[in-house]
Amino acid sequence: MLRDRHGNWEEDDDVLKQLANDFYIDLFSNNEQEVQWQQTAVSYPQLTGQELQQIHCDIEDDEIKRAVFSMSPWKAPGPDGFPAGFYQKSWNTVGRSVCDYVKQVWTNPLLLRDVNCTDICLIPKVEHPEYIHQFRPISLCNTIYKIVSKVLTNRIKNTITKVVSPHQTGFIPGRSIHENIVVVQEMAHSMRRMNGKVGYFAVKVDLSKAYDRLNWNFIYHTLTEVGYPKQWIDAVMTAVTSVRTNVKWNGVRAEFFHPQRGIRQGDPISPYLFVICMDKLSHLITNGVQEGVWKPMRAGRNGPLISHLMFADDLILFAEASVEQLNVVLNTLGQFCQMSGQQVSHEKTSIMFSKNVSAQMRAELVRLSGFNEATSLGKYLGVPLVGRAPKRSDYSYLINQVKTKLSNWKAKQLSFAGRVTLSKAVIEAIPIYPMMTTAIPKACLNEIQKIQRAFIWGDDDDGRKYHAVNWEIVTKPKAYGGLGIRRLVHMNQACLMKLAWAIRTGEDALWIEHGESLGRQMAISRQIHPRAWHFNSRRHEEHAGC
C-alpha cells in the first residue's frame, strides 16, 4: 500500500504500478524552466595529447574482454534477462560477436538505441515507505549495453583524478570517503571551540533527486569543456539520451517511456559523469574564493582555507557567518542549479554555526536561508560529527545494530563453528567503517565484544552458558592456537594507523595538508600499542586483506 499525491491509500497492484510509473515519467520530464549554461572563469585542467589519444584510439578486443570479466557475474539482469555471467561463461562462443558489436557502436553510437532498455527497481529508503518518493530507483540495464558503457568508463578512469578537483572524493580512484570525514571532523571541532569576533557557518546541502534531475545539455557542455574527444562524447551522450525505461512493480513491467533528463543509478558511467558535472559547483566556489567574494573557513590554526567538501552529492559548504556571505552562498547554489537542473531541498538542508556567532545573527541567517538550524552536523557519510571527544552514547547505534542482527539469528540452531563464523563475518564488520576515522570509546567496543562472546558460547535469556576457553586465547590468530577473532580495541588502533601512515608517507590528499589541525590524529596513532600492530599484521598475512 502507498499513498497517492492526494494522500489517499492505494493497494491495487495495477494502480500502484501506474502510480510509480507516472511519478518517474514526471520526474524525468524536462518540464521545468530551461537551464542556462554559463562558462566559468575556473575550468578543468587540460588533458595531454597522449591522454586524449588513449581515449580516442580504436577499441581493442582485450579491452572489451577485460570490461566483461570485471563485471559481477550474477547481478540482477536487465530486460533481456542475460546477466554478465552468461557472457563470461560463454565467451568462447559469443565473444567474437560482442567485440564486433562494441566496435560498431564506437563508430556508430546510434546502434545503442536497440539495446538501451532499462528496468527501474525500487529500493525503500525508509523502513515503512508511504509515498513513492521514499524509494530509490536502481536501473537494471541490459548487460550488452553495460559492456559498452564499461569500456567508455575505463577510458577516462586514468585521467579522472586529474580532471576532478580534490574537494570531491566520491567515485575517484585513489581517493577515499574517509578523507572527507577526517576534514569535517576537524572543521566541526574548530567551530565548537572558536572564539573571536568572526564566526562561521557550515551548510549541509541536500540536493533533491540529484541523479534524476541532471540536465543532458549540461552534461554535454561539461564534457566538451573538459576537452574529451568528440567521438567519445558522442558515444556517451547517445548512451545517456537513447534510453527507454519503465518501472517494475512486484516483478511486472509498466509501460516503457523515454526520459528527458537524468542519469541512471546502475549505469557504469553514471558515477563519473556525475562527479565531473558536480565539479562545476567547485569551479563556481573556487572562483568566488579567488576573487575574495566567498570567505572560507580555515582548518585549524595554520591549515588551509576550506570552502566546501563533496562526496558525490553530499555537500558541506563553509563560509563566514554574515548576511553578505550567506547571500554569496545562496547565489552560488542558485547559479549552479540554474546551469545543471539540480534543486536544493530546503527541508533537508541544515546550517550549523560556530560557537562565537550571536543568537541574533543565527536567527537572521536561518530566516534568510530557509534552512534548518542544527547544533551539530549529525551523521556525515555515516559517521557522527560531534566536534569533541567521542562518548559512548555517540556510538550506541553500533551496539543497536549488532543486537538487531543477533535478534534475527537463532543461535540454538547453529553449531559452535557456525556461531564463530557468523560473529567474525558480521558482528566484527559492523564497527569497522567508523573505526577507520575515529577512536571509538572502549566502553562501546567492549560492549560489542561482550555481545559477541555471549553469542559464540550460546548464552540466551535463560542464563549464561559455560565459556570453555579463555577469551584471551580465543582472540589469538589461528596459527597461535586461537580462533582468529579480532580484538576490536586493537583493530580500531590498527585502522587509525592507516591515517598515521598516510601522513608519514606524505600522500597527496587534501586532508593531509591540514598539518597542525591533524595533530590529534597523530597523537591517537602514537598511542597504538605494538601488540596491536603485530596482531593485525599476522591476521593480514593469514587472511590477506584484514
Side-chain angles (χ1 to χ4, degrees):
M1 296 175 63
L2 290 177
R3 295 182 186 270
D4 60 19
R5 64 180 61 187
H6 304 294
N8 301 320
W9 286 102
E10 299 289 350
E11 57 181 328
D12 182 76
D13 271 357
D14 292 334
V15 174
L16 290 173
K17 181 176 67 174
Q18 193 60 43
L19 177 68
N21 214 46
D22 290 344
F23 174 82
Y24 285 99
I25 289 175
D26 182 65
L27 178 61
F28 291 127
S29 297
N30 201 10
N31 53 8
E32 300 178 358
Q33 59 182 358
E34 190 68 24
V35 299
Q36 299 176 1
W37 172 259
Q38 301 175 25
Q39 183 64 45
T40 56
V42 177
S43 187
Y44 299 94
Q46 289 188 347
L47 300 177
T48 65
Q50 182 179 1
E51 291 169 337
L52 293 175
Q53 178 59 29
Q54 290 176 351
I55 299 173
H56 180 66
C57 65
D58 293 336
I59 295 176
E60 303 292 337
D61 290 351
D62 289 343
E63 184 180 358
I64 301 170
K65 184 177 181 179
R66 284 196 304 270
V68 172
F69 282 85
S70 67
M71 299 167 67
S72 267
W74 308 119
K75 280 191 174 180
D80 64 0
F82 292 101
F86 164 77
Y87 294 92
Q88 295 168 0
K89 295 289 185 181
S90 310
W91 186 251
N92 292 335
T93 304
V94 303
R96 182 72 266 151
S97 300
V98 171
C99 292
D100 291 342
Y101 175 77
V102 175
K103 291 177 180 179
Q104 291 173 10
V105 169
W106 181 239
T107 57
N108 182 17
L110 294 179
L111 293 175
L112 275 177
R113 293 178 177 178
D114 298 330
V115 299
N116 199 3
C117 298
T118 297
D119 289 333
I120 294 178
C121 180
L122 301 179
I123 309 297
K125 294 191 288 186
V126 297
E127 188 172 355
H128 299 291
E130 294 186 6
Y131 294 92
I132 192 64
H133 65 262
Q134 294 176 319
F135 290 83
R136 178 176 286 107
I138 303 298
S139 295
L140 307 181
C141 306
N142 286 329
T143 300
I144 188 64
Y145 164 80
K146 290 174 72 174
I147 294 172
V148 176
S149 181
K150 193 82 171 177
V151 170
L152 297 176
T153 303
N154 290 340
R155 294 212 153 192
I156 64 169
K157 230 175 193 178
N158 294 333
T159 60
I160 194 71
T161 306
K162 178 179 180 180
V163 169
V164 178
S165 67
H167 296 279
Q168 172 68 263
T169 58
F171 309 118
I172 306 298
R175 299 180 192 175
S176 170
I177 188 173
H178 307 298
E179 299 177 15
N180 275 18
I181 297 172
V182 169
V183 176
V184 177
Q185 281 177 336
E186 295 302 319
M187 301 296 279
H189 175 78
S190 298
M191 294 179 73
R192 184 179 177 84
R193 300 184 59 184
M194 190 170 290
N195 295 313
K197 296 181 180 179
V198 181
Y200 292 87
F201 63 75
V203 181
K204 189 177 179 182
V205 181
D206 183 271
L207 296 177
S208 175
K209 302 290 184 183
Y211 265 56
D212 306 327
R213 294 183 183 275
L214 200 58
N215 184 271
W216 290 346
N217 289 330
F218 177 70
I219 297 174
Y220 175 78
H221 285 297
T222 301
L223 297 180
T224 303
E225 184 179 331
V226 174
Y228 287 128
K230 185 177 183 302
Q231 186 176 12
W232 185 87
I233 294 177
D234 289 343
V236 170
M237 292 309 302
T238 303
V240 171
T241 60
S242 64
V243 60
R244 291 189 305 120
T245 190
N246 77 99
V247 178
K248 289 188 76 173
W249 187 264
N250 289 339
V252 179
R253 290 190 180 93
E255 184 179 354
F256 279 92
F257 64 91
H258 289 277
Q260 297 175 336
R261 64 175 178 182
I263 53 179
R264 291 166 286 178
Q265 299 185 51
D267 187 343
I269 203 168
S270 291
Y272 290 93
L273 294 180
F274 188 78
V275 295
I276 292 172
C277 291
M278 285 298 297
D279 214 42
K280 288 306 297 178
L281 178 57
S282 282
H283 296 171
L284 294 171
I285 296 174
T286 303
N287 185 62
V289 172
Q290 291 178 353
E291 293 180 352
V293 179
W294 185 304
K295 298 179 181 179
M297 177 181 164
R298 188 172 296 279
R301 184 177 302 173
N302 300 317
L305 294 171
I306 301 295
S307 55
H308 65 290
L309 292 168
M310 298 181 178
F311 184 83
D313 61 335
D314 285 297
L315 314 177
I316 294 187
L317 312 178
F318 301 94
E320 188 178 299
S322 66
V323 174
E324 178 186 359
Q325 284 298 293
L326 180 64
N327 288 330
V328 170
V329 171
L330 295 178
N331 290 338
T332 303
L333 284 174
Q335 185 179 358
F336 174 71
C337 290
Q338 182 63 39
M339 292 171 60
S340 63
Q342 297 289 353
Q343 180 177 316
V344 176
S345 174
H346 284 68
E347 297 79 13
K348 297 181 181 179
T349 300
S350 58
I351 183 169
M352 185 186 81
F353 300 95
S354 61
K355 175 185 174 183
N356 56 339
V357 178
S358 65
Q360 182 180 358
M361 178 57 70
R362 294 185 186 197
E364 179 68 11
L365 296 181
V366 169
R367 183 187 65 82
L368 291 174
S369 65
F371 303 148
N372 299 314
E373 183 179 0
T375 55
S376 71
L377 293 174
K379 280 188 178 181
Y380 176 65
L381 301 178
V383 177
L385 299 177
V386 291
R388 51 166 170 74
K391 299 179 181 179
R392 182 184 184 278
S393 58
D394 299 326
Y395 292 90
S396 59
Y397 73 93
L398 295 175
I399 300 174
N400 295 332
Q401 287 181 6
V402 171
K403 289 180 177 179
T404 301
K405 286 285 186 183
L406 292 180
S407 66
N408 295 327
W409 297 342
K410 297 181 179 179
K412 292 182 179 180
Q413 299 180 6
L414 295 172
S415 65
F416 178 79
R419 294 196 297 271
V420 170
T421 302
L422 271 178
S423 68
K424 290 171 64 175
V426 179
I427 296 178
E428 290 181 359
I430 289 175
I432 287 295
Y433 176 71
M435 279 182 180
M436 301 300 295
T437 54
T438 309
I440 299 175
K442 290 183 180 179
C444 180
L445 297 180
N446 290 336
E447 180 67 21
I448 295 175
Q449 204 98 70
K450 181 180 177 181
I451 297 172
Q452 184 181 21
R453 282 200 303 270
F455 177 75
I456 287 176
W457 295 112
D459 294 356
D460 53 27
D461 296 336
D462 297 333
R464 186 177 186 269
K465 299 297 178 65
Y466 177 63
H467 293 200
V469 182
N470 187 285
W471 189 247
E472 291 288 338
I473 298 176
V474 172
T475 54
K476 286 183 178 181
K478 290 183 178 180
Y480 291 87
L483 294 178
I485 294 175
R486 298 169 179 170
R487 297 293 293 269
L488 295 183
V489 173
H490 295 163
M491 195 63 201
N492 194 182
Q493 293 173 333
C495 289
L496 292 177
M497 279 286 286
K498 294 184 68 175
L499 297 179
W501 183 253
I503 298 173
R504 178 67 179 83
T505 55
E507 287 187 11
D508 184 19
L510 177 67
W511 70 276
I512 296 179
E513 298 176 10
H514 281 57
E516 189 175 280
S517 69
L518 281 177
R520 291 191 305 284
Q521 293 287 0
M522 291 289 287
I524 291 173
S525 301
R526 285 195 293 269
Q527 295 170 6
I528 295 178
H529 195 278
R531 179 185 173 192
W533 174 259
H534 171 76
F535 173 79
N536 288 288
S537 63
R538 299 290 299 188
R539 282 192 54 79
H540 181 79
E541 294 172 5
E542 183 178 356
H543 297 287
C546 170

